[in-house]
Amino acid sequence: MSDRELKLGELRARIDRIPIRPYPVSWMVIIGIGYFFAFYDILTLSFAIVSPMVQQLRLSRLELSEAVSVSLFGYIIGAYFVATISDYWGRRWGLITNAILIAIGSLGSALATNALVLIVSRLITGMGIGAEISIINTYISEVTPAPIRGRMVQFTYLAGALGFAVTPFIAFALIPISPIGWRWLFGIGALVAAAIVPLRYLMPESPRWLTIKGRMNEAERVVRMLEGFAERKVGQLPPIPSPLPEKILTKFPTAELFNRKYGPRLIMAILFWFFDYMLAYGVIGFAPYIFVAAGFTFTTATWYIALGSIGYIVGALSMAPIADRWERKYLVASAFSVATLAVFLYAVAVAIRSPIALTIGAFLGAFATAFAVPAYTYTAELFPTRARASGFALADGIGHLGGAIVPFIIYLVFSPLKPLSTGVWTFVLLGIFEIIATSIVLTGPRTTKLRLEQVSD
């Protein structure tokens, strides 16, 4: 390495020698609020489609499927577009852009007067949420020391777990009591997403991103900020490990991914996300609809799913202590296996109309979703800093095609005229998709406790 490359490598090494979380909880709160409403918004439409919204906007079954699917196509567009901004102009501007898109899309959904307005608004919201998940994981991975990277991503996700957990209760409170309760459900997300924009403007830039842009002085200031925070907690820091090389970004970020090293990783990540999202969005988007059609009342179905949603908190807290102790891909595979069991219990619940099976399945499904957060960490670790956001966005974004396709598969498989038999087969099919995802993720490389430069270069 040249003297300049050595200095830039030393800046990155200084982050990884810090033994504790090197930033205040307020950073995680600012990030986590966005995570909260990203996951909050994912669930809102699934409850809105069993509300008066369908009659008020005169939505057909096909338009409902389009409204669910278009947000996932928005994930692909937004994740890649904003991630490219993030790789070029910085993680902070990516985080700001995400929040603006979520606010605009959620407000449009709340004010929708017909199917077209709703579908366009869901597209915009999807663009923001897809980019949100991509850049949050990229940012946290880059400012966190290697030994605790998984744990910090997990703690940040706790806010997202809360979003998943409380949304059914909010829907339960708003939708039955007012014919426009579904509008308030969307409107809450718009208000809070707008509120976090100025907070994110105050966040520092990722020091790793600054180093691959060659902005040494700015990177030095941020790294010194991280070190200073840690020194006030633990005193003298450990010795600096050997600097590792990282290429400076000199070309279009996506071009860095199509080679013998990163190409197979990208394909692997796309495929496991594709099949995982087929299960995730099949359940998130249509489980309440299937349960109501199978004989559960809206209040009953929502209440049992809400009770099961406690599993989001339990799963997130259970993963935090082990996120950096067991190899990442094995953690992901274990979470996917629990998700498979959960959706099979949904099939049992429909077959015998069992509230107990529904509740246990909902709990395990929620638990698995939160327990699978290392999949986000793992995806960010697979790619180099100069194209990390773009790599994550392509893997997660294209993977969302699975979620975009699955509503049409459910449209073909599930029939309201035969809700018991077709409901069972719908959930069994989703479980098979998750088994495929589990098999694929096990083929990936090891990443736990390795420095990002060791994994990527």
Side-chain angles (χ1 to χ4, degrees), residues 234-256:
V234 301
Q236 186 174 358
L237 298 179
I240 301 173
S242 300
L244 295 174
E246 172 81 24
K247 294 179 182 177
I248 291 177
L249 180 63
T250 58
K251 55 185 177 181
F252 191 65
T254 305
E256 300 277 1

Side-chain angles (χ1 to χ4, degrees), residues 269-289:
I270 288 171
L271 289 175
F272 87 69
W273 279 121
F274 180 90
F275 287 103
D276 178 60
Y277 282 140
M278 292 189 86
L279 174 135
Y281 286 98
V283 170
I284 289 171
F286 291 93
Y289 176 66

